[in-house]
Amino acid sequence: KNVNPGVFVSLGAIYFILYDIRRFTTHSIETNTNMSDGAARFLGLVLIVAVCLSLVGSFSCTFINGAGIWFRQDLNGDCTSYPSHFPFTGGVKAARTFSILTTISNFYILIWGCGLLARPKGFEGRGLICQTMFEGLKFLFIDGVTGYSLATGGNCQIAAVVFFFVANVLSCCVVKKEEEGEDDAEEPLLQEEEA
């Protein structure tokens, strides 16, 4: 039997997102930041806006003129789902996969963004690298489509990629918390011999 390689790509992507989310949650608690509370709150706001833009990009029925990743516009301009027999291309299937992955991870990022607004603490955004990449890979939806123009969903998706990239850059200001109880006294490099 032929195995679709997309299955392995999807499983690998899910593994990396879950791994990054685990690192994201465990390392964020253990980090300290050299950012001020205001900068940490700004990072939280950037994350919340990025998540909202990502969701609009994923679930809008106007990613390109008249068609979205999950929904399309009918002749009356109403949002409807695609028919079950609709022949999706590989690009659309990939965009749908990345839409699911980013929606799941967006839930956790939204929680951390709200947490940064309420109680600014350290934030280590290593998982945002994958998130930014997966957000950009939703543009596989337009692979092979000719004569299109980006609509509301596509423009929101571009903005989401930019906001996640900015959040990733802002999160680079984080440093690990120093070990508590370390001696600040300098120890000599060479031990003096006792006479």
Side-chain angles (χ1 to χ4, degrees):
K1 292 182 179 180
N2 290 337
V3 177
N4 186 353
V7 171
F8 295 112
V9 172
S10 298
L11 290 175
I14 290 170
Y15 169 78
F16 281 116
I17 282 187
L18 292 177
Y19 178 75
D20 280 339
I21 288 172
R22 184 186 63 78
R23 288 180 54 94
F24 178 70
T25 55
T26 57
H27 288 301
S28 294
I29 295 169
E30 299 169 359
T31 58
N32 192 4
T33 180
N34 59 1
M35 295 190 301
S36 68
D37 286 353
R41 285 192 169 108
F42 179 69
L43 175 59
L45 183 64
V46 168
L47 287 171
I48 291 171
V49 170
V51 166
C52 293
L53 289 168
S54 172
L55 292 174
V56 170
S58 291
F59 298 105
S60 170
C61 46
T62 56
F63 193 89
I64 57 175
N65 41 348
I69 296 174
W70 292 97
F71 304 102
R72 64 184 177 95
Q73 279 186 334
D74 61 8
L75 296 175
N76 298 329
D78 297 330
C79 256
T80 60
S81 60
Y82 288 98
S84 60
H85 61 278
F86 194 82
F88 292 114
T89 63
V92 174
K93 290 176 184 178
R96 284 180 158 206
T97 301
F98 287 115
S99 174
I100 292 168
L101 293 174
T102 56
T103 300
I104 292 168
S105 59
N106 277 341
F107 173 73
Y108 295 103
I109 292 172
L110 185 63
I111 290 172
W112 277 106
C114 292
L116 284 173
L117 283 176
R119 192 171 133 210
K121 283 200 168 231
F123 177 83
E124 192 169 325
R126 291 184 185 147
L128 294 177
I129 294 169
C130 279
Q131 183 71 14
T132 305
M133 183 180 66
F134 291 163
E135 292 290 341
L137 286 172
K138 287 185 202 174
F139 283 100
L140 289 172
F141 176 74
I142 57 178
D143 183 37
V145 178
T146 57
Y148 69 89
S149 63
L150 289 179
T152 304
N155 292 330
C156 286
Q157 193 58 47
I158 290 172
V161 171
V162 170
F163 270 82
F164 274 116
F165 181 76
V166 168
N168 197 5
V169 170
L170 285 174
S171 69
C172 290
C173 299
V174 176
V175 293
K176 290 213 173 202
K177 185 193 263 187
E178 298 291 329
E179 293 289 328
E180 293 183 20
E182 284 185 353
D183 267 346
D184 290 337
E186 294 182 23
E187 295 182 18
L189 294 176
L190 298 173
Q191 297 290 334
E192 293 181 22
E193 292 182 22
E194 293 182 21

mmCIF file of all heavy atoms in Angstrom, residues 48-75:
data_model
loop_
_atom_site.group_PDB
_atom_site.id
_atom_site.type_symbol
_atom_site.label_atom_id
_atom_site.label_comp_id
_atom_site.label_asym_id
_atom_site.label_seq_id
_atom_site.Cartn_x
_atom_site.Cartn_y
_atom_site.Cartn_z
ATOM 1 N N ILE A 48 -1.703 38.229 21.910
ATOM 2 C CA ILE A 48 -3.166 38.149 21.798
ATOM 3 C C ILE A 48 -3.631 38.619 20.430
ATOM 4 O O ILE A 48 -4.483 37.985 19.788
ATOM 5 C CB ILE A 48 -3.831 38.944 22.938
ATOM 6 C CG1 ILE A 48 -3.578 38.240 24.271
ATOM 7 C CG2 ILE A 48 -5.326 39.103 22.691
ATOM 8 C CD1 ILE A 48 -3.992 39.050 25.480
ATOM 9 N N VAL A 49 -3.069 39.720 19.944
ATOM 10 C CA VAL A 49 -3.445 40.231 18.617
ATOM 11 C C VAL A 49 -3.057 39.225 17.535
ATOM 12 O O VAL A 49 -3.826 38.966 16.600
ATOM 13 C CB VAL A 49 -2.788 41.611 18.366
ATOM 14 C CG1 VAL A 49 -2.951 42.039 16.924
ATOM 15 C CG2 VAL A 49 -3.375 42.657 19.297
ATOM 16 N N ALA A 50 -1.866 38.610 17.665
ATOM 17 C CA ALA A 50 -1.421 37.625 16.683
ATOM 18 C C ALA A 50 -2.356 36.420 16.636
ATOM 19 O O ALA A 50 -2.692 35.927 15.554
ATOM 20 C CB ALA A 50 0.006 37.174 17.002
ATOM 21 N N VAL A 51 -2.797 35.968 17.796
ATOM 22 C CA VAL A 51 -3.722 34.827 17.848
ATOM 23 C C VAL A 51 -5.049 35.186 17.181
ATOM 24 O O VAL A 51 -5.593 34.407 16.385
ATOM 25 C CB VAL A 51 -3.938 34.369 19.307
ATOM 26 C CG1 VAL A 51 -5.122 33.428 19.423
ATOM 27 C CG2 VAL A 51 -2.681 33.710 19.842
ATOM 28 N N CYS A 52 -5.575 36.363 17.474
ATOM 29 C CA CYS A 52 -6.852 36.783 16.864
ATOM 30 C C CYS A 52 -6.733 36.880 15.343
ATOM 31 O O CYS A 52 -7.618 36.421 14.610
ATOM 32 C CB CYS A 52 -7.305 38.114 17.449
ATOM 33 S SG CYS A 52 -7.762 38.018 19.187
ATOM 34 N N LEU A 53 -5.637 37.468 14.863
ATOM 35 C CA LEU A 53 -5.426 37.569 13.417
ATOM 36 C C LEU A 53 -5.288 36.192 12.781
ATOM 37 O O LEU A 53 -5.803 35.946 11.686
ATOM 38 C CB LEU A 53 -4.194 38.417 13.131
ATOM 39 C CG LEU A 53 -4.319 39.908 13.413
ATOM 40 C CD1 LEU A 53 -2.951 40.576 13.356
ATOM 41 C CD2 LEU A 53 -5.279 40.564 12.436
ATOM 42 N N SER A 54 -4.618 35.284 13.468
ATOM 43 C CA SER A 54 -4.453 33.930 12.956
ATOM 44 C C SER A 54 -5.790 33.213 12.828
ATOM 45 O O SER A 54 -6.048 32.531 11.828
ATOM 46 C CB SER A 54 -3.528 33.143 13.873
ATOM 47 O OG SER A 54 -3.497 31.791 13.516
ATOM 48 N N LEU A 55 -6.641 33.372 13.827
ATOM 49 C CA LEU A 55 -7.951 32.712 13.782
ATOM 50 C C LEU A 55 -8.821 33.281 12.670
ATOM 51 O O LEU A 55 -9.543 32.537 11.995
ATOM 52 C CB LEU A 55 -8.640 32.827 15.140
ATOM 53 C CG LEU A 55 -7.972 32.027 16.267
ATOM 54 C CD1 LEU A 55 -8.653 32.327 17.598
ATOM 55 C CD2 LEU A 55 -7.991 30.539 15.971
ATOM 56 N N VAL A 56 -8.766 34.599 12.473
ATOM 57 C CA VAL A 56 -9.525 35.198 11.373
ATOM 58 C C VAL A 56 -8.998 34.682 10.037
ATOM 59 O O VAL A 56 -9.771 34.338 9.139
ATOM 60 C CB VAL A 56 -9.463 36.747 11.429
ATOM 61 C CG1 VAL A 56 -10.024 37.367 10.165
ATOM 62 C CG2 VAL A 56 -10.222 37.256 12.637
ATOM 63 N N GLY A 57 -7.668 34.603 9.904
ATOM 64 C CA GLY A 57 -7.089 34.086 8.666
ATOM 65 C C GLY A 57 -7.472 32.644 8.395
ATOM 66 O O GLY A 57 -7.735 32.262 7.257
ATOM 67 N N SER A 58 -7.520 31.837 9.440
ATOM 68 C CA SER A 58 -7.833 30.418 9.261
ATOM 69 C C SER A 58 -9.293 30.166 8.931
ATOM 70 O O SER A 58 -9.609 29.311 8.105
ATOM 71 C CB SER A 58 -7.482 29.634 10.527
ATOM 72 O OG SER A 58 -6.106 29.571 10.721
ATOM 73 N N PHE A 59 -10.186 30.882 9.589
ATOM 74 C CA PHE A 59 -11.603 30.531 9.497
ATOM 75 C C PHE A 59 -12.453 31.547 8.754
ATOM 76 O O PHE A 59 -13.672 31.460 8.758
ATOM 77 C CB PHE A 59 -12.157 30.274 10.902
ATOM 78 C CG PHE A 59 -11.471 29.113 11.564
ATOM 79 C CD1 PHE A 59 -10.539 29.317 12.564
ATOM 80 C CD2 PHE A 59 -11.720 27.831 11.148
ATOM 81 C CE1 PHE A 59 -9.882 28.257 13.155
ATOM 82 C CE2 PHE A 59 -11.071 26.752 11.729
ATOM 83 C CZ PHE A 59 -10.147 26.964 12.732
ATOM 84 N N SER A 60 -11.821 32.494 8.083
ATOM 85 C CA SER A 60 -12.550 33.436 7.254
ATOM 86 C C SER A 60 -12.958 32.745 5.958
ATOM 87 O O SER A 60 -12.285 31.848 5.478
ATOM 88 C CB SER A 60 -11.657 34.645 6.943
ATOM 89 O OG SER A 60 -12.254 35.457 5.979
ATOM 90 N N CYS A 61 -14.071 33.166 5.384
ATOM 91 C CA CYS A 61 -14.457 32.582 4.098
ATOM 92 C C CYS A 61 -13.912 33.407 2.940
ATOM 93 O O CYS A 61 -14.262 33.177 1.788
ATOM 94 C CB CYS A 61 -15.961 32.390 3.998
ATOM 95 S SG CYS A 61 -16.961 33.750 4.499
ATOM 96 N N THR A 62 -13.051 34.376 3.248
ATOM 97 C CA THR A 62 -12.458 35.193 2.191
ATOM 98 C C THR A 62 -10.941 35.288 2.369
ATOM 99 O O THR A 62 -10.388 36.362 2.548
ATOM 100 C CB THR A 62 -13.067 36.607 2.189
ATOM 101 O OG1 THR A 62 -12.883 37.179 3.479
ATOM 102 C CG2 THR A 62 -14.523 36.590 1.825
ATOM 103 N N PHE A 63 -10.247 34.157 2.335
ATOM 104 C CA PHE A 63 -8.785 34.168 2.352
ATOM 105 C C PHE A 63 -8.290 34.762 1.035
ATOM 106 O O PHE A 63 -7.452 35.638 1.001
ATOM 107 C CB PHE A 63 -8.252 32.743 2.529
ATOM 108 C CG PHE A 63 -6.798 32.671 2.876
ATOM 109 C CD1 PHE A 63 -6.396 32.705 4.202
ATOM 110 C CD2 PHE A 63 -5.841 32.573 1.892
ATOM 111 C CE1 PHE A 63 -5.053 32.640 4.535
ATOM 112 C CE2 PHE A 63 -4.496 32.498 2.208
ATOM 113 C CZ PHE A 63 -4.097 32.535 3.531
ATOM 114 N N ILE A 64 -8.819 34.231 -0.049
ATOM 115 C CA ILE A 64 -8.655 34.862 -1.354
ATOM 116 C C ILE A 64 -10.070 35.192 -1.822
ATOM 117 O O ILE A 64 -11.042 34.854 -1.157
ATOM 118 C CB ILE A 64 -7.914 33.947 -2.354
ATOM 119 C CG1 ILE A 64 -8.631 32.620 -2.535
ATOM 120 C CG2 ILE A 64 -6.493 33.725 -1.925
ATOM 121 C CD1 ILE A 64 -8.023 31.729 -3.602
ATOM 122 N N ASN A 65 -10.194 35.871 -2.938
ATOM 123 C CA ASN A 65 -11.512 36.322 -3.373
ATOM 124 C C ASN A 65 -12.518 35.170 -3.463
ATOM 125 O O ASN A 65 -12.469 34.354 -4.359
ATOM 126 C CB ASN A 65 -11.417 37.084 -4.698
ATOM 127 C CG ASN A 65 -10.458 36.434 -5.680
ATOM 128 O OD1 ASN A 65 -9.694 35.557 -5.321
ATOM 129 N ND2 ASN A 65 -10.498 36.864 -6.919
ATOM 130 N N GLY A 66 -13.427 35.125 -2.465
ATOM 131 C CA GLY A 66 -14.523 34.168 -2.456
ATOM 132 C C GLY A 66 -14.239 32.801 -1.858
ATOM 133 O O GLY A 66 -15.137 31.966 -1.809
ATOM 134 N N ALA A 67 -13.035 32.549 -1.411
ATOM 135 C CA ALA A 67 -12.723 31.227 -0.876
ATOM 136 C C ALA A 67 -11.813 31.357 0.335
ATOM 137 O O ALA A 67 -10.929 32.204 0.370
ATOM 138 C CB ALA A 67 -12.046 30.358 -1.936
ATOM 139 N N GLY A 68 -12.055 30.491 1.318
ATOM 140 C CA GLY A 68 -11.216 30.436 2.503
ATOM 141 C C GLY A 68 -10.691 29.028 2.694
ATOM 142 O O GLY A 68 -10.987 28.128 1.906
ATOM 143 N N ILE A 69 -9.907 28.843 3.749
ATOM 144 C CA ILE A 69 -9.324 27.523 3.991
ATOM 145 C C ILE A 69 -10.407 26.511 4.349
ATOM 146 O O ILE A 69 -10.407 25.388 3.864
ATOM 147 C CB ILE A 69 -8.263 27.613 5.102
ATOM 148 C CG1 ILE A 69 -7.104 28.499 4.636
ATOM 149 C CG2 ILE A 69 -7.752 26.237 5.505
ATOM 150 C CD1 ILE A 69 -6.063 28.790 5.697
ATOM 151 N N TRP A 70 -11.355 26.913 5.181
ATOM 152 C CA TRP A 70 -12.409 25.991 5.622
ATOM 153 C C TRP A 70 -13.779 26.308 5.034
ATOM 154 O O TRP A 70 -14.627 25.428 4.924
ATOM 155 C CB TRP A 70 -12.521 26.012 7.152
ATOM 156 C CG TRP A 70 -11.324 25.419 7.796
ATOM 157 C CD1 TRP A 70 -10.246 26.077 8.301
ATOM 158 C CD2 TRP A 70 -11.047 24.031 7.964
ATOM 159 N NE1 TRP A 70 -9.327 25.195 8.783
ATOM 160 C CE2 TRP A 70 -9.793 23.920 8.597
ATOM 161 C CE3 TRP A 70 -11.732 22.869 7.653
ATOM 162 C CZ2 TRP A 70 -9.215 22.715 8.922
ATOM 163 C CZ3 TRP A 70 -11.161 21.655 7.988
ATOM 164 C CH2 TRP A 70 -9.927 21.584 8.609
ATOM 165 N N PHE A 71 -14.012 27.553 4.666
ATOM 166 C CA PHE A 71 -15.329 27.967 4.168
ATOM 167 C C PHE A 71 -15.172 28.751 2.874
ATOM 168 O O PHE A 71 -14.099 29.234 2.550
ATOM 169 C CB PHE A 71 -16.038 28.843 5.215
ATOM 170 C CG PHE A 71 -16.176 28.178 6.548
ATOM 171 C CD1 PHE A 71 -15.335 28.495 7.597
ATOM 172 C CD2 PHE A 71 -17.148 27.212 6.759
ATOM 173 C CE1 PHE A 71 -15.442 27.878 8.821
ATOM 174 C CE2 PHE A 71 -17.275 26.575 7.977
ATOM 175 C CZ PHE A 71 -16.423 26.914 9.014
ATOM 176 N N ARG A 72 -16.281 28.874 2.143
ATOM 177 C CA ARG A 72 -16.289 29.660 0.910
ATOM 178 C C ARG A 72 -17.537 30.515 0.880
ATOM 179 O O ARG A 72 -18.480 30.292 1.650
ATOM 180 C CB ARG A 72 -16.230 28.745 -0.299
ATOM 181 C CG ARG A 72 -17.467 27.856 -0.424
ATOM 182 C CD ARG A 72 -17.338 26.887 -1.573
ATOM 183 N NE ARG A 72 -18.487 26.017 -1.617
ATOM 184 C CZ ARG A 72 -19.562 26.225 -2.372
ATOM 185 N NH1 ARG A 72 -19.629 27.268 -3.150
ATOM 186 N NH2 ARG A 72 -20.574 25.380 -2.342
ATOM 187 N N GLN A 73 -17.541 31.504 0.009
ATOM 188 C CA GLN A 73 -18.720 32.340 -0.146
ATOM 189 C C GLN A 73 -19.576 31.786 -1.277
ATOM 190 O O GLN A 73 -19.068 31.424 -2.328
ATOM 191 C CB GLN A 73 -18.324 33.779 -0.487
ATOM 192 C CG GLN A 73 -17.910 34.592 0.691
ATOM 193 C CD GLN A 73 -17.664 36.046 0.313
ATOM 194 O OE1 GLN A 73 -17.348 36.348 -0.829
ATOM 195 N NE2 GLN A 73 -17.812 36.927 1.277
ATOM 196 N N ASP A 74 -20.878 31.746 -1.033
ATOM 197 C CA ASP A 74 -21.756 31.326 -2.115
ATOM 198 C C ASP A 74 -22.131 32.555 -2.949
ATOM 199 O O ASP A 74 -21.606 33.646 -2.735
ATOM 200 C CB ASP A 74 -22.989 30.591 -1.578
ATOM 201 C CG ASP A 74 -23.854 31.444 -0.663
ATOM 202 O OD1 ASP A 74 -23.599 32.659 -0.554
ATOM 203 O OD2 ASP A 74 -24.793 30.900 -0.064
ATOM 204 N N LEU A 75 -23.028 32.389 -3.894
ATOM 205 C CA LEU A 75 -23.387 33.492 -4.792
ATOM 206 C C LEU A 75 -24.059 34.655 -4.066
ATOM 207 O O LEU A 75 -24.020 35.791 -4.530
ATOM 208 C CB LEU A 75 -24.294 32.969 -5.910
ATOM 209 C CG LEU A 75 -23.636 31.946 -6.840
ATOM 210 C CD1 LEU A 75 -24.647 31.400 -7.827
ATOM 211 C CD2 LEU A 75 -22.451 32.557 -7.548
#
